[in-house]
């Protein structure tokens, strides 16, 4: 148990669906992250939030829309996804956004049909 | 951040020490060495980090060479649950949000 909880663990969606991934951290951290891990590829940083403010967006397509209502919760809203978006989506948190020690959730395995 | 080089895969017998190497010949003076691991289909897990001195915690030991151009992560008594991809990452401790995960080393612990 890392203190970072992601739901759902598995998600199958069609290309016209809208769904959301949820992440909650119980560590009192100020920074939260979304990463994408495609098959046989290294982790890619998608978004960084610090104190509920988005501080980094790494050229992620607009069909991915993050939301951070407070420092404990992070969402990734998905719409009009493509099959190549199928991947493991990981949430992480750290004490603040400069810290290299990050705590990861177990991830959401997303399949887009 | 300095580039790291790790072997793609290693095997280890259960109960023996697993020694995972990492080369980081371009490391700069204020960059730390961090190790994470990722068990299949789970999120990465922080293991240990160090600057120049050797470090030990309940999970592993980290040995950094005197010139800091390479390091070794040691799991003293590997178990089947240690089978995972191990990532060596070099960066400053408070330089920004990016953790650059490379390909890592797939460690397989055999019974």
């Amino acid at each position: 148990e890392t203190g970072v909880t992601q739901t759902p663990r598995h998600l199958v969606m069609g290309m016209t669906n809208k769904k959301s991934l949820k992440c909650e951290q119980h560590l009192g951290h100020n920074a939260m992250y979304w990463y994408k891990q495609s098959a046989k590829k290294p982790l890619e940083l998608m978004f960084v939030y610090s104190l509920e403010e988005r501080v980094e967006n790494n050229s992620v397509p607009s069909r991915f829309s993050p939301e951070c209502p407070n420092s404990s919760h992070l969402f990734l809203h998905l719409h009009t996804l493509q099959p190549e978006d199928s991947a493991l989506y990981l949430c992480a948190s750290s004490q603040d956004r400069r810290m290299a020690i990050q705590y990861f959730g177990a991830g959401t395995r997303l399949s887009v049909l | 951040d300095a580039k790291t080089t790790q072997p793609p895969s290693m095997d280890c017998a259960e109960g023996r020490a697993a020694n995972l190497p990492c080369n980081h010949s371009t490391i700069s003076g204020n960059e730390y060495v961090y190790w994470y691991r990722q068990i299949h289909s789970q999120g990465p897990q922080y293991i240990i980090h160090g600057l120049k001195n050797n470090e030990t915690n309940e999970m592993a030991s980290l040995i950094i060479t005197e010139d800091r151009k390479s390091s070794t992560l040691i799991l003293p008594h590997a178990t089947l649950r240690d089978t995972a991809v191990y990532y060596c990452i070099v960066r400053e401790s408070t330089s920004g949000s990016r953790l650059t995960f490379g390909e890592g080393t797939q460690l397989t612990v055999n019974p």
Side-chain angles (χ1 to χ4, degrees):
Chain A
E1 177 57 54
T2 64
V4 180
T5 304
Q6 289 187 244
T7 55
R9 291 294 315 277
H10 300 273
L11 179 63
V12 179
M13 60 186 287
M15 289 191 285
T16 58
N17 291 158
K18 289 184 181 181
K19 296 285 184 185
S20 296
L21 309 184
K22 179 182 175 183
C23 177
E24 183 174 359
Q25 58 99 356
H26 309 277
L27 300 169
H29 289 166
N30 291 325
M32 296 187 78
Y33 312 79
W34 280 117
Y35 288 83
K36 175 185 177 182
Q37 187 172 34
S38 303
K40 311 280 187 192
K41 287 187 178 181
L43 275 78
E44 303 169 51
L45 180 63
M46 300 175 72
F47 300 103
V48 181
Y49 276 82
S50 176
L51 295 170
E52 300 120 60
E53 180 183 340
R54 191 190 313 176
V55 295
E56 195 163 335
N57 175 348
N58 291 291
S59 304
V60 179
S62 59
R63 58 186 183 269
F64 295 91
S65 174
E67 179 190 1
C68 188
N70 55 61
S71 58
S72 298
H73 293 87
L74 186 65
F75 295 89
L76 188 62
H77 303 300
L78 316 170
H79 64 96
T80 326
L81 293 193
Q82 305 298 311
E84 59 264 29
D85 296 321
S86 298
L88 181 68
Y89 289 85
L90 291 156
C91 173
S93 72
S94 64
Q95 196 169 344
D96 73 53
R97 68 181 181 95
R98 299 168 302 162
M99 303 304 290
I101 299 175
Q102 298 180 8
Y103 295 82
F104 287 79
T108 295
R109 173 72 61 188
L110 174 67
S111 296
V112 181
L113 305 178
Chain B
D1 298 338
K3 179 177 167 55
T4 62
T5 304
Q6 299 178 253
S9 64
M10 294 183 66
D11 285 287
C12 176
E14 190 177 17
R16 305 297 294 267
N19 298 297
L20 294 105
C22 179
N23 286 324
H24 32 78
S25 58
T26 61
I27 191 170
S28 62
N30 54 353
E31 287 183 317
Y32 287 70
V33 180
Y34 292 85
W35 283 84
Y36 281 77
R37 74 179 182 184
Q38 186 174 20
I39 296 170
H40 182 61
S41 290
Q42 295 184 26
Q45 176 189 23
Y46 164 77
I47 301 173
I48 197 168
H49 74 283
L51 182 63
K52 33 175 124 168
N53 297 323
N54 298 338
E55 301 288 345
T56 296
N57 63 20
E58 64 279 3
M59 290 183 69
S61 294
L62 174 60
I63 308 297
I64 302 174
T65 58
E66 194 168 338
D67 63 7
R68 304 211 318 123
K69 293 186 177 181
S70 66
S71 60
T72 302
L73 179 75
I74 301 172
L75 308 178
H77 305 287
T79 70
L80 299 179
R81 292 172 61 180
D82 292 319
T83 292
V85 178
Y86 286 77
Y87 299 98
C88 169
I89 299 169
V90 172
R91 56 157 277 180
E92 295 180 16
S93 66
T94 56
S95 69
S97 46
R98 186 168 297 276
L99 274 181
T100 303
F101 289 84
E103 303 290 336
T105 296
Q106 170 66 58
L107 174 70
T108 301
V109 180
N110 300 304

